[in-house]
Amino acid sequence: TVIILVLALGTGSYWYFHDPTRVWDVLASVLIVACPCALALALPFGLGHGMRIMGRKGVYLKNAAVIEQLANVRQLVFDKTGTLTRNHPESIRFVGVKLDALSNSMIKTICSNSAHPLSKLIAKHFGDSVIKLPIDHFYEEVGKGVEAKMNGTCVRIGSAKWVGVEGAEDQSESKVYVSIDDHYQGFFSIKSGYRTGIFESLKQLRRSFKLHLLSGDNASERAQLAPYFDQFHFHQKPLDKYQYVEGLYSNTLMIGDGLNDAGALKRAQVGFAVCEDIHQFSPACNGLIEANSVVRVGRVLRFSKSVIAIVIAAFIISFAYNVVGLSFAITGNLKPVVSAILMPLSSVSVVGFITLMVSLLGRIQFKE
């Protein structure tokens, strides 16, 4: 804006001394043709159009500026449970005393209100035939377990330490332990399968980015995951994840499944919360990504870089328009009416270029 005003003032001063009758025409032509409308439109149109295309592919960004941050990502940090694995278990079974109908209802109730993905799996396991009960008291300690009271009965579900079972931890599978009124009942053994295509996606990502895995689970799957990550850590509590992400340099994308990863999601430059339900509320994140779209993270990052490249190209085109238009306006070879016609034409052409290129690259990048 300052440059335009200086050019207009200088041009007006020049023509005032050489041909005063043309001062106002030339001055108006310079101000009109140099109006940076196309420059002002390039960024919001480019990022907004890119944001719309990502939304169609199951990636819902908090705002368009997140695309700029994604274009600069150099490291990716993944949670495991609910992120790399499906929220539909391959097998789930209860090992312990036989549970009656009331115990099943209490367990389903407490798991339905928990934010942990394993608790949600257990709640789904009971199905619609098991009813939920009113809760008198509910408390959840992230990364450890949940406690609730129903009809005067206290139920605790979570890690072995949370339930009070010593030496019950096992590295071979995911287990969720249950106690009712401080009496140990047994545990749920859960085996969740990995998302279709996730290992191929990780393999491609590792060619361009440094990958980290932070899991609250045990290290039973270390050997299977080792080929796909540069760094991996198990038995991670929410604070551990936060501190690890904080220790990384910037340009980091964290992908987790919600509450357990809230601190790490907020600390990373960009945080994606994985959700089975797109209406899930995750205030700590920069965007929601549908569970089935986790395998598209590489395409999302490449597309973000493409959008920024298109915006830069639009800047160059707009700047070229202004340079050419100003060269005619300053020398007095452009009438104000002609300038008024060229100015919106340049804006339309730049916006059209952005829309066409972003749509085209979106089809290419997200082609299944």
Side-chain angles (χ1 to χ4, degrees):
T1 302
V2 173
I3 293 173
I4 291 171
L5 293 176
V6 170
L7 283 174
L9 182 61
T11 302
S13 300
Y14 172 83
W15 284 102
Y16 177 79
F17 292 105
H18 287 76
D19 189 352
T21 62
R22 303 184 62 187
V23 170
W24 297 113
D25 280 353
V26 173
L27 187 61
S29 296
V30 170
L31 290 174
I32 293 171
V33 79
C35 181
C37 294
L39 282 173
L41 291 171
L43 193 61
F45 262 84
L47 299 185
H49 201 44
M51 186 177 177
R52 180 176 63 85
I53 291 175
M54 287 189 188
R56 289 180 176 177
K57 301 302 179 180
V59 181
Y60 308 95
L61 304 183
K62 185 177 182 180
N63 53 58
V66 177
I67 295 180
E68 292 185 85
Q69 297 172 314
L70 286 172
N72 295 320
V73 165
R74 297 294 178 270
Q75 298 192 88
L76 283 80
V77 183
F78 287 90
D79 173 49
K80 183 174 79 71
T81 306
T83 301
L84 301 182
T85 60
R86 297 189 299 268
N87 280 340
H88 303 285
E90 292 180 349
S91 65
I92 179 170
R93 60 191 177 92
F94 184 76
V95 179
V97 301
K98 185 175 177 59
L99 299 174
D100 56 23
L102 179 59
S103 297
N104 286 336
S105 292
M106 290 190 294
I107 293 172
K108 179 180 178 180
T109 301
I110 189 173
C111 288
S112 297
N113 288 275
S114 171
H116 197 280
L118 293 181
S119 297
K120 294 179 180 179
L121 291 179
I122 295 172
K124 289 181 181 179
H125 170 70
F126 284 104
D128 297 330
S129 59
V130 178
I131 62 172
K132 291 190 288 186
L133 304 174
I135 294 179
D136 302 317
H137 162 77
F138 182 87
Y139 172 74
E140 179 166 10
E141 188 165 335
V142 178
K144 293 184 178 180
V146 290
E147 175 186 279
K149 285 187 178 180
M150 291 157 279
N151 297 325
T153 302
C154 180
V155 180
R156 292 172 69 89
I157 296 178
S159 66
K161 186 176 181 181
W162 174 258
V163 172
V165 182
E166 296 296 334
E169 295 288 5
D170 187 353
Q171 299 294 315
S172 62
E173 57 188 356
S174 295
K175 294 181 178 180
V176 179
Y177 297 84
V178 180
S179 72
I180 299 178
D181 280 337
D182 295 326
H183 296 293
Y184 175 62
Q185 304 296 307
F187 61 87
F188 286 94
S189 172
I190 302 171
K191 182 179 179 182
S192 297
Y194 286 91
R195 300 190 186 279
T196 303
I198 192 65
F199 290 117
E200 181 61 29
S201 176
L202 291 172
K203 183 178 179 181
Q204 294 178 359
L205 283 169
R206 199 177 179 191
R207 296 171 185 169
S208 305
F209 304 93
K210 188 172 182 180
L211 303 189
H212 307 258
L213 176 68
L214 301 178
S215 174
D217 296 338
N218 56 56
S220 60
E221 300 177 32
R222 176 188 293 268
Q224 183 179 3
L225 295 169
Y228 304 98
F229 291 93
D230 298 283
Q231 296 286 335
F232 43 91
H233 303 272
F234 298 91
H235 298 288
Q236 296 290 293
K237 297 178 182 179
L239 181 60
D240 297 328
K241 294 182 179 182
Y242 174 87
Q243 292 174 340
Y244 186 87
V245 173
E246 186 178 40
L248 299 174
Y249 60 82
S250 58
N251 302 333
T252 300
L253 168 62
M254 169 70 190
I255 304 175
D257 64 333
L259 185 60
N260 288 344
D261 305 307
L265 289 171
K266 187 173 181 62
R267 188 63 187 88
Q269 183 182 21
V270 183
F272 278 175
V274 180
C275 57
E276 300 287 344
D277 178 5
I278 62 172
H279 301 293
Q280 178 177 332
F281 182 57
S282 298
C285 66
N286 299 100
L288 300 178
I289 181 168
E290 289 184 1
N292 294 332
S293 295
V294 173
V295 296
R296 297 192 180 112
V297 169
R299 299 179 185 184
V300 169
L301 295 173
R302 290 193 297 270
F303 179 63
S304 299
K305 291 182 179 180
S306 298
V307 170
I308 298 302
I310 292 169
V311 169
I312 293 174
F315 280 163
I316 295 173
I317 294 172
S318 177
F319 185 72
Y321 267 122
N322 283 11
V323 170
V324 173
L326 278 172
S327 65
F328 283 96
I330 291 173
T331 56
N333 295 316
L334 202 61
K335 298 293 184 180
V337 173
V338 178
S339 298
I341 294 172
L342 291 177
M343 188 265 293
L345 283 178
S346 68
S347 300
V348 169
S349 62
V350 168
V351 169
F353 167 78
I354 292 172
T355 302
L356 177 64
M357 292 303 298
V358 172
S359 298
L360 178 62
L361 288 176
R363 292 193 189 98
I364 294 174
Q365 295 288 0
F366 291 106
K367 184 178 180 180
E368 298 296 340

